[in-house]
Every structure is written in structure tokens, then in C-alpha cells.
Amino acid sequence: VEAIRRGDPHPGLGVPAPRGVRAVPAADVAHALADADAAIVGVSSPGIHWAGRTLAASLPRRIPIAMITKGLEPTSAGVAILPDVVREALPQAVRVHPVAIGGPCIAGELARRRASAVVFAGRDAADVRFLADALATPYYRPAVAAEPVGLCVCSALKNAYATAVGLGAGLLEREGGARGPVAMHNLEAAIFARAAIEMETVVGALGGDRAAALGLAGAGDLFVTTSGGRSSRLGRLLGLGRPLADARAELGNPTLEGVDVAAIFHERLPAGVAADDVRLLRFLGDVLFGGADAARVFEVV
Amino acid sequence: VEAIRRGDPHPGLGVPAPRGVRAVPAADVAHALADADAAIVGVSSPGIHWAGRTLAASLPRRIPIAMITKGLEPTSAGVAILPDVVREALPQAVRVHPVAIGGPCIAGELARRRASAVVFAGRDAADVRFLADALATPYYRPAVAAEPVGLCVCSALKNAYATAVGLGAGLLEREGGARGPVAMHNLEAAIFARAAIEMETVVGALGGDRAAALGLAGAGDLFVTTSGGRSSRLGRLLGLGRPLADARAELGNPTLEGVDVAAIFHERLPAGVAADDVRLLRFLGDVLFGGADAARVFEVV
């Protein structure tokens, strides 16, 4: 907040905020929202309950809410998507269906106005349409999906699966690295393909539109997430044989959404999901939480 | 053939053939096949008719045939998969249904015995099973698909779509290259996702099992093909604005399977495929054959 107020580059993205952006601390959110046409939630997933409470205390009236926060939350019945979690926190007068935003969108590229195609989905079609129209630019193109479960499930799972794909890089290094131009792309691609299939199955089991797995929010977001970032770097360290705690520390103790998602499926499977349906995701849980050898990933793809 | 006979490394792969491999020139194929349990065709796609004629003249009796050659061939009715093209060339006594092999399998990695998960599919289930069992090793694992159209269509299209994904790298360079850690991964991922959706649609329209698009032969093979190779390098050059002829020359005039596939869909759409269903593939054809500006790819993803 202080950096943006000073006009400095965003500390994480390296570019200044566009002219007209006003940064306020959390304590002033109610004031900042007084005239707002919409609210967009961008906290990391562990902060989603805080964000829900903050919105509940700050929204002046019913306005559309969008969310780029990704994740799933275990419930007694299975798992909940985060827009539904936020909705539950809102008082009746402002209780909207938040709109989920997914698809391949590395923040640093979007901040530099590079072409980004994304997906908006929610249970309130009018709010989805309003936000998609309001936020579209020549370089940011929202498509609208029929329902939010497919998008939210894929957006959450892709972090775990990007970690699984990342195992290949670590296994290769453990074996002594690339020999000439030869890496371990065949294995990584087999993990990628298995991940896409498992995402589709979980989406279907949780009542979502299975088509999400093949599109921007599924294969597209998984593709971009494997090209860098925390999730794939974690995979590399696991592939090298590091325990989760060591790997996490080596990465600087960031939020690791994929670890949280893998934990959900490691502890208990949602109704309608069989263990073999998500054998790759379960194996990742075994590596993360049970000390399984990452080299055995070939057995589950 | 001469290099393998001398025990030298394979000129393309950089490793010697395993002990027991015997290399013979094409003129001696009939002799080499006299005691064979199976034949495997590995010519590049323009050689497939030659391979069919050679097998027709050389097969001593009915034996299973496998094919790693990828491609599609235009017919009066639409397109044919290459196993059917080879079958047509065979005399009645040896007329088998060749088995197609697909999935993410860079030859250099397989030659070094890196973990590779592949797919076998054909119209003769017994031959598929025989070959999958005969060729399986601890590092080469064939899965069996229900039917061959999905696999063959994806295997052929993925070369074209890898070229489309590769446009991103060239467009980025044209803009002055990566700034800091920021590339054009969002656009590449959007192209990837659109490619996966189009592959599924074409598979369905041609009567194949749409599930192929999400698995090893579809998203998996596309993923590995985007990580290097001729097809993605061609995309980079097109993204930089080079005409096809120049790009082809710069690559050393290799066989470019993706260009041939794009040409089929550029000239005439198979029955059941609408232009918008394959708008990305058609756009690639416009870039390849019509001088369209690669930068407009964002409009079709």
C-alpha cells in the first residue's frame, strides 16, 4: 500500500500502478467502497475468511464482487468453492454470488498489458456479465463460463498438479541433470495429461461442467502454472528429495495453495471421487505428507 | 543405416543402438522381415505411401504392424488416418489393421530410457494388445485406447497447434524480448487451451473418442511438442514475421508435419467441422499460406 501511494513500482510486479489507482489500508476499506461499482477480492486463499468478514463489515449496499482468489475448502459434505464461502460471510442485504475469475493469467504479464484470455463464472449471470464487460480491455479478454464449479475446481487443483509436473525437473537434476538437449519432458507431459484427466473427473464428481478441464481454466491455467512460479518450484525441490518443510523454507515460506488442496484430497475424498480417479493427486499427497519417493510418479500417470 | 552398422551413435539421437539391433537398407527389408513377429513403421509422414508399398512387397505373411508415423491424409470424403492409408496398400493376405502409437515421446529421451507413457490404438484389438505387451518395458509404458481415430487426429493436429503455441515466443522477441522475468506465457497458454478444445471437436466430428484430447495423445503430446522441436521453432519464426518459405529454409528444410495438416484444414474442412470450430487452426493456415500477421492470434483464442 505504501509503495503504491508513493508511486513506486508494485514490489511484487515491478511496475507502477496505473494513474488513478488509489491504495488504501484494510482499515479504510469501508470508506473506499462507499462509491464503488464493484469489489474485487485478491487475497491469497488462507485470507479468504478475513476477506469475507471485511466485506461483510464494509459493503455499503449490494454490489457485484469478483474474486481472483483460488482454492477449495473442505466441508462436512465434501468441498466448497470459495465464492460460496465468501457469500456465506455476507449479511443478507449485500449477499451476492461472487464471480470467480480463472484462466492463465500471470500477474506480471497482465500488469505489463500482455494479451491475457481469462474466464469469469458465477451463479448470478447478470453480475458475471457486468464484471466481464466492465473489466474487458484490448489485452484482457474475459470469456464467460456457464457455471463456477468447473472453473473454481480447476483453478484450485492446477496448483497441486503444477507441483506434480515440477517433480520432473527435480528428478532430472537428481539423476545428474540434462544430458545434452535431453530432459525429462516425456514424463512431465505424462503427468500433465494425467492431471488434465483428473481435473475433469473431479469437476464432474463435484457437479461442475467437465468442459472446464480442457479450456482456459483447466489445461490453459495448468500450462501457464507449469512454466514457473511457486508451485512448480516446489515440485522441483520435492523431486530432488527434499521434505516439504525444507522445500517450503527454501522457497521463503510462501503460501502454497497446491499443498492445501492436496491436503484436502489426502485426508478424505469428496463424495463421488474414487481414490484411483485422483491417483496422481493422492500420490502427490503421499510425497508431501508421507515421505513417498517422487521417482514413483511414473507409476500413477 | 551405415552409422548403426558401424556401432556409431545414431546420428539424430546421439546414442548407439542397443545390442542386437540390426540395421538393413530398404532394399533388404523383405529379407529382414522373413522371420519377424511384427513390423514397425517410423518413416516421416510424406513417406507413408512408400512405406505401404514397401511393406506390401515385403511382408512374408500376416504380422502385426505398428506405426509411429503421424499425419492425416485428405480424401474425397474428408480425411483418412494413416493406419487406414497403409492398410489400403497391403495385399489381402497380409492386410492387417496397423496399430497407431501416440502420446508424448521425444525420441531422444526414449533412446536414453527415460520414463515415457504412450498410447496404442487400432481397429484390431488383438494386434493392439500383442504389440503393447511386446514393446512394454519398465521405462516405456503403452496404454491401450479404445479406438484409433482420436489418437491419430490428435497426433497429427498437435504439430500444427505446437506451431501456434510457438508464435508467442516469436511475438515476444518481436516486441523486444522478455522484460525481466516476464514472457508471453498467458497468450501461449490461451493458445494451448484453444488448441485442446479444437482437437476435441475435430476428433468428435471425425467419429473418434473425444476423450483422446485430454489424455496422453492430446494434451500430453501437445505439451511435450511445445517444449521444443521443429514445430514450435517454426512458430517462433512465424511470430517474428518470417514468411513460411524463409522460416522453412532457416530450419534446414525439414519435414514439417504441422504445415501439411494445417494445409488440409486450410483448403477444405472435413464434413462436420465448422470454420469457427477450428478458428485457431484456420488462422495458423492464414499465417502460413496467406501472410496473416501472427500478432492477431489473440483474436482467435
Side-chain angles (χ1 to χ4, degrees):
Chain A
V1 169
E2 286 309 310
I4 299 298
R5 283 183 160 180
R6 284 193 304 268
D8 289 350
H10 183 289
L13 302 176
V15 291
R19 203 176 287 272
V21 166
R22 200 157 50 89
V24 300
D28 296 344
V29 165
H31 187 246
L33 284 174
D35 298 323
D37 297 316
I40 306 179
V41 177
V43 299
S44 69
S45 53
I48 200 65
H49 286 275
W50 173 85
R53 288 193 306 272
T54 302
L55 283 172
S58 312
L59 286 170
R61 63 194 175 284
R62 186 207 179 286
I63 56 174
I65 299 174
M67 298 175 47
I68 59 169
T69 303
K70 317 283 198 284
L72 294 173
E73 197 164 272
T75 65
S76 55
V79 296
I81 60 174
L82 294 192
D84 291 347
V85 172
V86 168
R87 175 180 169 83
E88 284 305 306
L90 301 178
Q92 189 60 39
V94 297
R95 180 170 283 176
V96 296
H97 283 290
V99 173
I101 300 179
C105 194
I106 296 173
E109 293 188 15
L110 179 58
R112 286 163 181 82
R113 307 192 175 191
R114 292 213 190 282
S116 303
V118 296
V119 189
F120 284 36
R123 302 190 195 279
D124 182 324
D127 277 7
V128 174
R129 195 67 263 169
F130 171 80
L131 286 161
D133 289 344
L135 296 173
T137 71
Y139 55 87
Y140 184 74
R141 200 177 59 225
V144 168
E147 61 80 41
V149 174
L151 184 155
C152 289
V153 169
C154 288
S155 294
L157 289 178
K158 69 99 180 9
N159 286 306
Y161 286 119
T163 298
V165 174
L167 295 175
L171 291 168
L172 181 67
E173 282 184 56
R174 213 210 287 184
E175 275 196 14
R179 288 198 282 275
V182 177
M184 210 171 266
H185 295 311
N186 292 352
L187 176 59
E188 290 162 355
I191 299 171
F192 185 96
R194 179 69 206 163
I197 290 169
E198 293 194 1
M199 287 199 296
E200 185 189 46
T201 304
V202 175
V203 166
L206 297 180
D209 177 5
R210 298 166 66 103
L214 206 63
L216 290 164
D221 199 4
L222 179 59
F223 183 82
V224 86
T225 308
T226 63
S227 68
R230 293 192 294 272
S231 296
S232 61
R233 286 200 296 271
L234 171 65
R236 173 183 159 264
L237 293 173
L238 297 171
L240 281 166
R242 303 267 209 295
L244 172 58
D246 296 6
R248 193 192 284 275
E250 198 164 331
L251 293 170
N253 292 306
T255 300
L256 294 169
E257 276 96 347
V259 174
D260 299 337
V261 168
I264 294 175
F265 286 79
H266 190 69
E267 278 160 29
R268 190 165 55 86
L269 289 173
V273 179
D276 192 62
D277 290 340
V278 288
R279 60 179 188 257
L280 172 60
L281 185 58
R282 300 271 284 185
F283 172 78
L284 178 66
D286 292 342
V287 173
L288 288 166
F289 312 118
D293 183 356
R296 300 188 59 184
V297 66
F298 188 50
E299 296 170 21
V300 295
V301 296
Chain B
V1 170
E2 285 311 311
I4 299 298
R5 282 183 159 178
R6 285 193 304 268
D8 290 350
H10 183 289
L13 301 176
V15 291
R19 203 176 286 273
V21 166
R22 201 156 48 87
V24 301
D28 296 344
V29 165
H31 187 244
L33 283 174
D35 298 323
D37 297 315
I40 305 179
V41 177
V43 298
S44 68
S45 53
I48 200 64
H49 285 274
W50 172 86
R53 288 193 305 272
T54 302
L55 283 171
S58 312
L59 286 169
R61 63 195 174 286
R62 186 209 178 286
I63 56 173
I65 299 174
M67 297 175 48
I68 58 169
T69 303
K70 318 282 196 285
L72 293 173
E73 199 166 272
T75 66
S76 56
V79 298
I81 60 174
L82 294 192
D84 292 346
V85 172
V86 169
R87 175 180 168 84
E88 284 306 304
L90 301 178
Q92 190 60 39
V94 297
R95 180 169 286 178
V96 296
H97 283 290
V99 173
I101 300 180
C105 197
I106 296 173
E109 293 189 16
L110 180 59
R112 286 162 180 85
R113 306 193 177 190
R114 294 215 189 277
S116 304
V118 296
V119 189
F120 284 38
R123 302 190 195 278
D124 181 323
D127 276 8
V128 174
R129 194 68 263 168
F130 170 81
L131 286 161
D133 290 345
L135 296 173
T137 70
Y139 55 88
Y140 185 75
R141 201 178 59 227
V144 167
E147 61 81 39
V149 174
L151 185 154
C152 291
V153 169
C154 288
S155 295
L157 289 179
K158 68 98 180 15
N159 286 307
Y161 286 119
T163 297
V165 174
L167 295 175
L171 291 169
L172 180 66
E173 283 184 57
R174 212 209 287 184
E175 275 197 14
R179 288 197 282 275
V182 176
M184 212 171 265
H185 296 312
N186 292 353
L187 176 60
E188 291 162 354
I191 299 170
F192 185 96
R194 179 69 208 163
I197 290 170
E198 292 193 2
M199 286 200 296
E200 185 189 45
T201 303
V202 175
V203 167
L206 298 179
D209 177 5
R210 297 166 66 102
L214 206 63
L216 289 165
D221 200 3
L222 179 59
F223 183 82
V224 85
T225 308
T226 62
S227 68
R230 290 191 295 271
S231 296
S232 61
R233 285 200 296 272
L234 171 63
R236 174 183 158 265
L237 294 172
L238 296 171
L240 279 167
R242 303 267 208 295
L244 172 58
D246 296 5
R248 193 192 284 275
E250 197 164 332
L251 293 170
N253 292 307
T255 300
L256 294 170
E257 276 95 347
V259 174
D260 298 337
V261 168
I264 293 175
F265 286 79
H266 189 69
E267 277 160 30
R268 191 165 52 87
L269 289 173
V273 179
D276 192 62
D277 290 342
V278 288
R279 59 179 189 255
L280 171 60
L281 185 58
R282 299 270 285 186
F283 172 78
L284 178 67
D286 292 341
V287 172
L288 287 166
F289 314 117
D293 183 354
R296 300 188 59 184
V297 66
F298 187 51
E299 298 170 19
V300 296
V301 296

